Amino acid sequence: MRVRVRVNGEWREADPWEGTSLLSMLRDELGLPGSKNACEQGECGSCSVWLDGELVCSCLVLAAQADDRDVRTVEGLAGDGGLHPVQEAFLEAGAVQCGFCTPGLIVAVTDLLAQDPSPSEAMVREALSGNLCRCTGYQKILDAVRLAAERMAPR
Amino acid sequence: MADRMRVVGKSLARVDAPGKVSGTAIYAADFALPGMLCGKVLRSTLPHARITRLDVTRAAALPGVRAVITAADVPDVRYGGGLKDETAFAKDKVRYMGQPVAAVAAATPEAAEAALAAIDVVYEPLPAVLDLEAALAPGAPLIHEAWESYTAIPILHREGNVCNRARIVAGDVERGFEEADRVFEHRFRTGMVHQGYTEPRAAVASWDSSGQVTVWSNTQLPFEVQNTLAEILQMPPSKIRVVVPGVGGGFGGKLRVGVEHFAAFLARKSGRPVRVATTSEEELTAAYPRQGSIVELKTGVTKDGRITAKAGRIWLDTGAFAGSGPGVASVATLVLAGPYKIPNLYLEGFAVYTNKTNCGSFRAPSGPQANFAVESQMDIIADALDLDPLEFRLRNIVREGDEGPTGQVLNGVGLEECLLKATAAIGWKDRRPGPGRGKGLACGWWTTTGGSSGVYVKINPDGTVALNTGAAEIGTAAITGAAQVLAEELGIDLTDISVVAADTFSTPFDFGAQGSRTAFAVGNACLAAAADLKRQIFALAAGQLGVEPDALTLADKHVAADGKRLSLADVARLSQQTGGGLIAHGTFIAPPTPYDTKRVEGHVYPAFHSPSFHAHAVDLSVDPQTGEVTIHKYVVAQDVGFAINPTYIEGQIEGGVAQGLGQTLSEEIIYEGGRVLNPNLTDYKMPTTLDVPRVESILVQHPSLVGPHGAKGVGEPPNIEPPAAVANAVAAATGVRITSLPITAEKIALGLVDARAGGA
């Protein structure tokens, strides 16, 4: 089955089996392991990507559903060697431990801040409730969101 | 002292952060090789049964299938830590639902699944032992009929379904009860819980033409996995190379061989690299979770609140194989003693076989179970004596120079400060601020595990440094902490250090990322390496600068004396031209902690090394109708000895509390009839952003005599006290005392109904 998909701005082609998820296609066929394969049940958010600008768990999307559409992954966030402000904030706030949930969280936080540049902590908690992190207890992730929001605010 | 430090004691960003935030860091689950096959495991569908037929012919003939293996294809050996009771595949009989029976490797996951479905296996069910009571009952079926024939370290006390009984006896417990004015007896129960690491266990294996196998694994203990694989494969360890690319969380769940041996066997048979990774269902049915337990405590106290004696027993449900059970049962007895001065003790820990998954080690193994019982009972007793729970604890806690339960002399004891600071921060004076609202307190102690660590430290020709350690970075930032210690000594920045991934072929030995020991032991090994490097640097620079080596100092990336200086890069290049480059092998082994050998029996962990002390306080409300708990504030005061990197220590505390609250309020692997009822992350409820409160971390610093700059282990302790702190706060808020984990809303609501009925 041929799938043609625009990933991080570049048109790519793959030939996955019909039952392949978007996550597996990104990881195994397109060389993008940043989106993590953790629960494969849509429970943990580690595989979060954008599909036509909408935040999705890529483990729950078939590769075929992405045909002729736009996908953006964590690998598409940093530009020219520099980190995205959300990535910088995670690094500086100490929001990264094992890091396996981090790419999914960074995608989810970037999506949240695009919709609401200065969310309340309650809104942040609601927005990130689909991303499981077992290391941090979330506190420094909440700090990172606040830091990123401050940095990204229009002056 | 810390004020003069440039690198240690500072909240610097971890060395591996850029790769992790950008998505470029490669974990074992990401690791891939050309032509790699997908390996999967066929697992038992019954808790206890004889295998009467196992035929893989049809599966092996399916398209895309490259290898099928069973017990018949692998060496007939039993392996394990202190007790060798485990086999790679079930042979003749299965002992838990989920036990590996066969494994396949195929070109695609779909072909592998089809092959599993095509394996013909027939079972004859046997009576199953489904819980601790059944396992201990007279005439209970034996899970291991031939237990006496198994190889075990002689220290273990085994009998039938009990694979170890550890004991501490101090003083005369009966006399102690006679001296008491009141004696309290209680029973507690805790559920089985999973570590919940985000990255599933994964391994890729590949054989080369010389007969060496390389295994890329997310293990916490590469050197132990190397040795265990040598045992399972019946090969010399030198032919087995274990590499740890990256670990997506472990919490003790990735200590033992889990999938590595399947990958190795399948790769050998298929002649291709093979990856085996677990699913969420396999994690929750066939991993190494925390043992469920039953605890019985009998404690004698005087009228004025001094503890005269304690008898305690904990039975740990270790599942179908011993796993960590015998050691965890030992550690449990030290936790049962608590951080208290009690002259008369009789404490026993039992590791008990049942027909469940093999339990292992989970962050502070036995800590939450035993501490839940001890600290719940402390509050019950305080209430009965009409004493403030804080005051009751202060009358009994250990202080500097006191003896631990096995006679070890305690140093760096910051417990009183922890209790006072935690209670001050929570507003302890107002313990019941309103209806349905209450505050709870719990305290404890824990170890900094020993074992040896080695590092190679190499200075590059540009003056930067390569740190080679065999310790895996599992997320704690412990390696960053060790690198901070190194950077401080060498007068360089943390960002000048790069860390090489653990690799049994090239990195020096390390006892592993376990037991809160990594920053402590690797940090000390870095100190030793730095001392050696300084000698080398000063000798070379002295010749070059024409000064005495003793006059030289190393700071700001330069070596200097008498107004002359040379950059570290220059010295490194000089060494490359003249002496093979600057490199040092630093090692560390924690000195033994003396204890009274007469007090212990069957005990593999008789003293807590460089012990840490901690107090947790929580302020919560309970919904009077639903029993739902809402946490308003959570405070941890932890004696960390010395805070090498405050941010990541806070991270350990915040994460440990969140994980502890999951075990306290919502998590349990629920077995019924030997089957796990909730093998998915919808029904196994780990805390989300909506469940975890902000945690206030108070870092108390009473230095260890041994740790780098006085540091103690910090990773495990925050997971210990949440169950008891919450149970005590729930009791303060409602009068309902919950004595089993998890403390679900349902249990509290039923308790409230009972209380209302009793009061009516």
Side-chain angles (χ1 to χ4, degrees), chain B residues 44 135 379 563 575:
Chain B
S44 160
D379 264 40
S575 173

mmCIF file of all heavy atoms in Angstrom, chain B residues 44 135 379 563 575:
data_model
loop_
_atom_site.group_PDB
_atom_site.id
_atom_site.type_symbol
_atom_site.label_atom_id
_atom_site.label_comp_id
_atom_site.label_asym_id
_atom_site.label_seq_id
_atom_site.Cartn_x
_atom_site.Cartn_y
_atom_site.Cartn_z
ATOM 1 N N SER B 44 1.544 -18.399 28.873
ATOM 2 C CA SER B 44 0.575 -19.327 29.458
ATOM 3 C C SER B 44 -0.785 -18.664 29.643
ATOM 4 O O SER B 44 -0.878 -17.502 30.034
ATOM 5 C CB SER B 44 1.100 -19.796 30.815
ATOM 6 O OG SER B 44 0.042 -20.293 31.598
ATOM 7 N N ALA B 135 -1.252 -19.883 49.912
ATOM 8 C CA ALA B 135 0.109 -20.411 49.782
ATOM 9 C C ALA B 135 0.655 -20.901 51.116
ATOM 10 O O ALA B 135 1.473 -21.815 51.170
ATOM 11 C CB ALA B 135 1.029 -19.330 49.212
ATOM 12 N N ASP B 379 0.148 6.345 64.230
ATOM 13 C CA ASP B 379 -0.953 7.286 64.440
ATOM 14 C C ASP B 379 -2.076 6.683 65.281
ATOM 15 O O ASP B 379 -2.662 7.365 66.124
ATOM 16 C CB ASP B 379 -1.509 7.760 63.085
ATOM 17 C CG ASP B 379 -0.895 9.085 62.656
ATOM 18 O OD1 ASP B 379 0.328 9.251 62.866
ATOM 19 O OD2 ASP B 379 -1.632 9.949 62.131
ATOM 20 N N GLY B 563 52.105 32.531 38.498
ATOM 21 C CA GLY B 563 51.763 33.414 37.382
ATOM 22 C C GLY B 563 51.900 32.774 36.008
ATOM 23 O O GLY B 563 51.612 33.390 35.003
ATOM 24 N N SER B 575 50.150 15.284 26.508
ATOM 25 C CA SER B 575 50.115 13.883 26.925
ATOM 26 C C SER B 575 49.945 12.963 25.724
ATOM 27 O O SER B 575 50.516 11.875 25.680
ATOM 28 C CB SER B 575 48.978 13.671 27.927
ATOM 29 O OG SER B 575 48.845 12.305 28.213
#
